[in-house]
Amino acid sequence: MRGYPVHDPEKCIGCGACSNVCPTDSIKVEEREGKIIWIHNVARCIRCCYCVDNCPTGALSVGGEYSMIANSLNKLFIVHELDTARCVSCSRYVPYSSNIVSHLSSKVLKIDLKCERCRLGNVLKVIEKVREL
Amino acid sequence: MVIKVLEECNITPSRVARLREDTLLIDLDKSEIRDVVRCLVLEKGLHFATCVGVDYSGLSEGRLALIYILTRPRTKLVLRVLINENEDAPRVHDILPAAEWCEYEAYDLLGFKTSLPISDRFILHWGVPSNIRPLRKDFKHDVRLCSLASCKLVEKEGFVEVDPHHPFFYEHEDFLVKVVGNRIVDVLYVGSYINRGIEKVGESRLKMEQVPFIAERICGICGFTHSTAYCQAVESALNIDVPERARLERTLMLELERIESHLLLLALVAYAVGLRDIFLELLRYRELVMNACDVLVGNRKMYGLNIIGGVRYGFTLEQVRTVRELVEKLKDVEKVLDRLAESENVKKLKEVGVLPKDDAHKLGAVGPVARASGIDYDVRRDLPYAAYDMVDFEVPVMDSGDTYARIVVRYEETIQSIRIIEQVLSRRELVNGEIRAEYYSNPGKIGVGMTEAPRGENVHFIITGHDSKLYRWKVRAPTYANLAVLKRILIGESPKNAPIIIASLDPCLSCTDRLVKVRKW
């Protein structure tokens, strides 16, 4: 029996591919104050498991539980919080999960992640210098 | 061949555009459509599938269109009538009763200008204001109809039924049967209680690749045939060649679904005529089919297998072996079905609810209902899709057109389905090869997908739009066409036979009304 998808927050990079392909909008990936929140509304889920096919890191898998019984509506939501990475220069939050940073730096290259303000700040400094010249 | 038939109906070959090998598009003038439909359907004997209203304002031409879909072996004809906003709508239902429902539906949901003496609403509730036309492109998909304008509940004369509907039917429908003495004199079907506009959702909120999963939920029993028909429509529009393995997998699942649906109906017929042992035995055999589906895709129903361009999973040799064992056990169902067909209780249904061949053609009956009346039309053989051109099977046809014939046709189809499944399971391509083809989306392409659902011909019509979305999606479920024959087969019968006659059409009302609701949360 194909159940609702099981989410592994250790592997999840918060890319939101699952919420984009979900036919019934049962998965949402939101960004709030330093956290990326993965919400799954099991009551809306139709168990097509198309999200599992499209997950790039294998964080989602087909579960064995088909039904979910709860005594209140809020318990039908599966909510996982993912930590976001911090900017290396100003230690503000950037809108990427820390998993994606470690995932990428282990596989591809070492990245120095900077927040938008720091990157923009650098660009502005360069522009000012150019102007002065 | 087709060109010759068209020429005899005053359509020169230069006006015919070929969309795909088997799909022809013809643009017609409003004044011609009646003559053309009369000539093609009533004289040349083409099958009338359905008609679709389209609001073309989003795709360059700012006009409305009514599209008629006709079929003959190996050919689908798409007749398009483009009209201006203030012109009277084209109309053929006075010469061809089969077009009645689909034309009224198009008038209601798209707001064609008509001069008909009918009430304005057919699908929607009559209290909804007349400026609300949900399938127009300027209408948003996520609004409540009655929050827009003041919905006045028009006071209308009618009956209130206090007692429950007949216990034989479990769905949201109402068959009002007028009786004089011991004879039915009139029948009224009241439906569309649960039309939630799945087509609108498919056109506005969903991406093209998400729709198969929603299309599968149109019906609880024959859902896979809907997603297959939808995928075939898109594949035909975008010219995608589906790999052989995917086509075989689709055929396998479609036939398992047909057996499952037919066994459910035959079991219910046995229950209705008082043969409870056969009812239980048939449901036990149905369980084998459900288990086979569970082994193959992980679900007993709602397989979630189809995707545009192929299927999601490739079956393995191990799965196929298990299914072969289950199908071997399933073969014994023939003995039980023999007992059902030969029992006195079912033989009593001969000469009950007769549908003559002429009327079946005019009213547009499809599937086992048409085949029981002598119309030799099966989409699997005449417009081959999936892998049906690779397997060998017979199409059972009976001439008497009564309730007994409709039951026996289903019984013989079940046996043929087991034959098809055995052939598919023995093919080596089922477990080797590609399962999916790549595709690119193009706006403005027309596609018609047809499958033979357990209840009859199932039509999905699509026009692709921008951003890999659909521009128009129309679903014509088989029961939608078959309910038109209700009046013909019920009038003159005894009211005690009414439930079994209606049940012999195998009505599936959730297909007809298309209940699926997707709302933001």
Side-chain angles (χ1 to χ4, degrees):
Chain A
M1 181 72 76
R2 192 160 65 194
Y4 56 83
V6 178
H7 181 240
D8 182 1
E10 298 286 302
K11 284 186 191 166
C12 181
I13 55 172
C15 64
C18 44
S19 79
N20 279 339
V21 297
C22 182
T24 54
D25 273 355
S26 73
I27 301 176
K28 267 186 189 175
V29 181
E30 285 176 353
E31 190 207 329
R32 282 179 216 156
E33 283 298 302
K35 296 272 179 202
I36 287 177
I37 303 175
W38 187 91
I39 315 170
H40 183 206
N41 185 348
V42 182
R44 284 186 73 87
C45 178
I46 55 174
R47 279 77 164 158
C48 67
C49 294
Y50 197 39
C51 47
V52 179
D53 287 13
N54 286 282
C55 183
T57 57
L60 285 163
S61 56
V62 183
E65 292 261 317
Y66 187 81
S67 55
M68 184 180 231
I69 300 163
N71 52 10
S72 80
L73 210 60
N74 292 338
K75 288 181 186 168
L76 290 171
F77 290 72
I78 296 171
V79 183
H80 286 155
E81 292 188 346
L82 308 171
D83 290 330
T84 49
R86 283 167 183 265
C87 173
V88 282
S89 58
C90 67
S91 75
R92 278 198 194 89
Y93 291 115
V94 286
Y96 309 110
S97 70
S98 49
N99 283 355
I100 196 169
V101 177
S102 56
H103 184 75
L104 281 177
S105 50
S106 70
K107 276 197 174 164
V108 191
L109 70 168
K110 181 119 179 60
I111 28 175
D112 286 334
L113 200 66
K114 285 183 180 171
C115 68
E116 204 173 339
R117 203 183 285 187
C118 291
R119 271 181 303 172
L120 211 61
N122 285 345
V123 174
L124 289 175
K125 274 177 199 165
V126 173
I127 290 172
E128 271 176 24
K129 274 182 186 171
V130 170
R131 272 189 191 156
E132 280 169 16
L133 285 171
Chain B
M1 266 309 276
V2 195
I3 300 293
K4 201 178 156 197
V5 172
L6 287 173
E7 261 182 74
E8 283 169 24
C9 293
N10 297 328
I11 299 170
T12 50
S14 57
R15 296 173 69 186
V16 181
R18 201 169 273 271
L19 296 177
R20 227 187 167 196
E21 284 162 60
D22 60 344
T23 318
L24 304 175
L25 172 72
I26 304 163
D27 271 317
L28 290 174
D29 202 53
K30 205 187 88 182
S31 53
E32 289 173 304
I33 185 70
R34 286 168 69 86
D35 290 336
V36 169
V37 167
R38 183 188 285 129
C39 173
L40 286 175
V41 179
L42 299 182
E43 287 167 26
K44 304 287 172 206
L46 267 73
H47 171 70
F48 180 88
T50 189
C51 57
V52 190
V54 184
D55 171 15
Y56 263 105
S57 59
L59 285 174
S60 64
E61 311 131 281
R63 291 202 284 178
L64 292 170
L66 203 58
I67 294 175
Y68 296 84
I69 301 169
L70 313 180
T71 65
R72 76 192 295 276
R74 311 241 161 210
T75 318
K76 299 166 195 162
L77 285 177
V78 182
L79 310 176
R80 182 166 63 180
V81 187
L82 281 163
I83 55 162
N84 287 325
E85 189 87 18
N86 47 9
E87 271 182 88
D88 258 8
R91 154 165 83 113
V92 300
H93 65 253
D94 45 349
I95 51 168
L96 185 70
E100 193 169 2
W101 275 27
C102 62
E103 283 194 341
Y104 281 159
E105 184 183 332
Y107 298 163
D108 179 357
L109 296 178
L110 280 137
F112 282 88
K113 193 182 159 209
T114 52
S115 51
L116 288 174
I118 54 149
S119 71
D120 195 29
R121 294 296 179 192
F122 181 70
I123 297 282
L124 298 180
H125 190 267
W126 58 73
V128 178
S130 62
N131 59 343
I132 292 181
R133 301 295 176 183
L135 287 186
R136 287 291 181 110
K137 285 293 152 188
D138 49 9
F139 190 85
K140 293 268 186 316
H141 75 281
D142 52 354
V143 285
R144 289 185 72 121
L145 287 180
C146 281
S147 65
L148 279 179
S150 52
C151 268
K152 278 179 213 140
L153 200 66
V154 180
E155 286 179 4
K156 207 176 171 185
E157 195 180 281
F159 296 96
V160 176
E161 289 177 43
V162 180
D163 54 342
H165 294 178
H166 196 281
F168 198 78
F169 307 106
Y170 316 104
E171 294 178 76
H172 301 255
E173 83 280 10
D174 210 351
F175 296 101
L176 297 172
V177 179
K178 198 174 176 187
V179 181
V180 171
N182 195 22
R183 204 162 48 84
I184 296 172
V185 292
D186 201 3
V187 190
L188 183 67
Y189 166 73
V190 186
S192 298
Y193 285 117
I194 50 172
N195 191 303
R196 290 269 180 83
I198 178 177
E199 288 151 352
K200 187 75 188 175
V201 173
E203 287 163 29
S204 51
R205 203 191 68 74
L206 296 171
K207 288 260 164 57
M208 223 192 285
E209 59 165 2
Q210 293 173 333
V211 177
F213 303 106
I214 299 294
E216 196 157 25
R217 269 119 189 123
I218 290 174
C219 182
I221 299 172
C222 54
F224 191 71
T225 193
H226 280 283
S227 69
T228 312
Y230 168 76
C231 289
Q232 279 171 6
V234 179
E235 283 151 12
S236 146
L238 301 178
N239 234 332
I240 307 166
D241 284 321
V242 184
E244 196 177 1
R245 186 181 183 185
R247 290 195 280 144
L248 281 165
E249 287 188 16
R250 279 182 187 175
T251 312
L252 177 60
M253 297 317 291
L254 283 168
E255 290 306 313
L256 283 173
E257 195 176 66
R258 185 184 320 278
I259 296 179
E260 189 231 298
S261 170
H262 280 350
L263 287 186
L264 178 66
L265 178 85
L266 293 168
L268 285 176
V269 165
Y271 186 80
V273 298
L275 302 164
R276 299 215 175 165
D277 54 333
I278 294 181
F279 164 75
L280 286 173
E281 272 188 64
L282 286 178
L283 284 188
R284 190 163 59 80
Y285 281 109
R286 188 173 177 261
E287 201 62 23
L288 292 174
V289 185
M290 301 288 244
N291 288 344
C293 297
D294 197 354
V295 168
L296 287 170
V297 294
N299 261 10
R300 287 156 61 88
K301 281 305 316 169
M302 304 298 152
Y303 313 134
L305 184 69
N306 266 331
I307 204 163
I308 296 166
V311 289
R312 281 168 67 195
Y313 316 115
F315 297 155
T316 60
L317 203 58
E318 201 181 336
Q319 286 172 323
V320 170
R321 269 193 207 120
T322 324
V323 172
R324 209 178 278 153
E325 281 165 24
L326 288 168
V327 172
E328 204 61 39
K329 282 185 207 160
L330 185 69
K331 273 182 175 175
D332 298 340
V333 78
E334 199 172 345
K335 290 173 202 158
V336 188
L337 290 174
D338 268 340
R339 264 168 61 207
L340 175 69
E342 276 161 23
S343 73
E344 281 306 311
N345 298 13
V346 176
K347 277 191 178 167
K348 262 188 236 165
L349 298 173
K350 282 182 183 172
E351 309 278 308
V352 171
V354 180
L355 176 67
K357 188 178 176 180
D358 278 3
D359 288 342
H361 180 64
K362 261 188 213 166
L363 294 164
V366 292
V369 179
R371 286 195 284 276
S373 296
I375 296 178
D376 195 2
Y377 175 68
D378 189 316
V379 183
R380 291 178 290 171
R381 187 196 57 200
D382 296 336
L383 296 160
Y385 58 97
Y388 285 111
D389 45 358
M390 299 184 215
V391 291
D392 177 38
F393 63 98
E394 283 162 24
V395 178
V397 179
M398 290 185 80
D399 293 326
S400 54
D402 49 18
T403 307
Y404 180 75
R406 289 194 278 276
I407 290 164
V408 172
V409 161
R410 289 202 173 85
Y411 153 43
E412 289 184 0
E413 271 182 24
T414 313
I415 308 298
Q416 292 298 326
S417 290
I418 296 176
R419 237 181 98 194
I420 296 175
I421 287 173
E422 282 190 322
Q423 291 175 50
V424 171
L425 285 175
S426 66
R427 287 190 83 105
R428 198 181 289 166
E429 294 92 336
L430 185 63
V431 285
N432 296 312
E434 288 281 309
I435 53 168
R436 225 182 132 170
E438 292 288 318
Y439 69 95
Y440 299 98
S441 173
N442 259 339
K445 302 280 183 209
I446 293 175
V448 184
M450 284 189 183
T451 55
E452 183 75 22
R455 291 165 180 78
E457 170 209 58
N458 176 20
V459 186
H460 280 233
F461 171 89
I462 63 130
I463 300 177
T464 54
H466 296 280
D467 306 333
S468 70
K469 280 188 176 179
L470 292 178
Y471 184 76
R472 180 79 173 92
W473 176 33
K474 158 87 183 172
V475 185
R476 207 289 321 262
T479 307
Y480 194 86
N482 275 342
L483 277 177
V485 307
L486 261 184
K487 250 187 191 158
R488 184 66 193 78
I489 59 175
L490 274 178
I491 289 176
E493 297 295 332
S494 158
K496 75 165 198 266
N497 282 334
I500 190 79
I501 294 175
I502 297 173
S504 75
L505 297 180
D506 201 358
C508 179
L509 286 312
S510 67
C511 290
T512 309
D513 290 352
R514 301 179 292 277
L515 162 89
V516 172
K517 192 173 189 184
V518 184
R519 196 178 53 191
K520 283 195 178 131
W521 52 280

